[in-house]
């Protein structure tokens, strides 16, 4: 393992580890800029703080990002990017990542009439771009004849 002082809080291992028993971690994540919520609470420390760099194990505890896409793949392929940031929690619940927060009435195409009865997949189709398949959520053409 390689742990440089620049990668952990204040350069002192005792900020997290118990001296009497090194395997006991007493760190409170609430002290950071990234409080653990939802499924993040279920992850091991290594899931976020461990990586390989040229075959060497690196553990980082400082200067880690707090944006979803710094750790997670953007399965929407930039459709919801706003000036380099994607606010995933605008639609997704942090507990189980369901899209329960999404409200179609807050989009450029609020659903009314028979549109409310159409399944999401009726309008939002899979597309392929550069050998990547994803669901097209951002629809540009709202004219009736674009769908009917």
């Amino acid at each position: 393992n390689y742990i440089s002082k620049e990668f952990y809080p204040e350069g002192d291992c005792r900020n997290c580890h118990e001296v009497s028993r090194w395997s006991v971690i007493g760190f409170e994540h609430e002290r950071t800029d990234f409080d653990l919520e939802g499924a993040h609470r279920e992850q091991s420390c290594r899931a976020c703080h461990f990586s390989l760099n040229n075959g060497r194990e690196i553990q980082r505890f400082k200067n880690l990002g707090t944006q979803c896409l710094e750790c997670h793949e953007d399965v929407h392929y930039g459709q919801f990017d706003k000036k380099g940031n994607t606010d995933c929690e605008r639609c997704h619940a942090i507990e189980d990542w369901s899209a329960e927060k999404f409200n179609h009435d807050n989009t450029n195409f609020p659903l009314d009439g028979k549109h409310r009865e159409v399944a999401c997949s009726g309008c939002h189709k899979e597309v392929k771009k550069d050998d990547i398949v994803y669901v097209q959520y951002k629809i540009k053409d709202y004219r009736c004849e674009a769908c009917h």
Side-chain angles (χ1 to χ4, degrees):
N1 277 350
Y2 175 73
I3 304 174
S4 172
K5 285 187 178 185
E6 68 182 288
F7 297 132
Y8 56 99
E10 300 163 18
D12 190 344
C13 302
R14 294 171 294 182
N15 283 319
C16 303
H17 292 274
E18 295 293 326
V19 175
S20 61
R21 190 163 175 216
W22 206 247
S23 61
V24 175
I25 308 288
F27 184 74
E28 297 171 10
H29 222 279
E30 301 83 41
R31 294 174 30 197
T32 71
D33 292 333
F34 193 78
D35 192 8
L36 296 180
E37 299 177 313
H40 289 120
R41 276 189 239 124
E42 307 302 320
Q43 299 299 313
S44 70
C45 301
R46 290 177 63 84
C48 300
H49 296 282
F50 171 83
S51 64
L52 287 173
N53 185 357
N54 294 325
R56 291 179 71 183
E57 295 179 356
I58 303 290
Q59 294 183 45
R60 291 184 53 128
F61 297 98
K62 285 175 49 177
N63 303 322
L64 297 174
T66 59
Q67 299 299 316
C68 299
L69 298 183
E70 292 177 284
C71 296
H72 301 279
E73 179 184 0
D74 181 4
V75 298
H76 300 304
Y77 296 96
Q79 294 178 79
F80 302 103
D81 181 86
K82 290 187 178 181
K83 299 180 182 175
N85 189 20
T86 301
D87 182 12
C88 302
E89 291 183 62
R90 186 178 66 198
C91 297
H92 292 281
I94 193 124
E95 294 299 327
D96 60 8
W97 214 242
S98 65
E100 69 184 39
K101 291 181 175 180
F102 176 75
N103 182 346
H104 220 291
D105 292 337
N106 296 332
T107 70
N108 291 330
F109 192 82
L111 299 180
D112 60 2
K114 292 286 187 182
H115 289 119
R116 288 191 177 277
E117 299 171 18
V118 177
C120 301
S121 61
C123 299
H124 301 283
K125 308 287 186 190
E126 284 189 344
V127 296
K128 184 175 182 179
K129 181 179 179 184
D130 301 326
D131 293 326
I132 297 170
V133 178
Y134 61 96
V135 176
Q136 183 71 46
Y137 287 106
K138 293 283 192 158
I139 297 174
K140 306 274 190 245
D141 190 352
Y142 302 118
R143 296 174 301 128
C144 296
E145 58 268 21
C147 296
H148 303 281

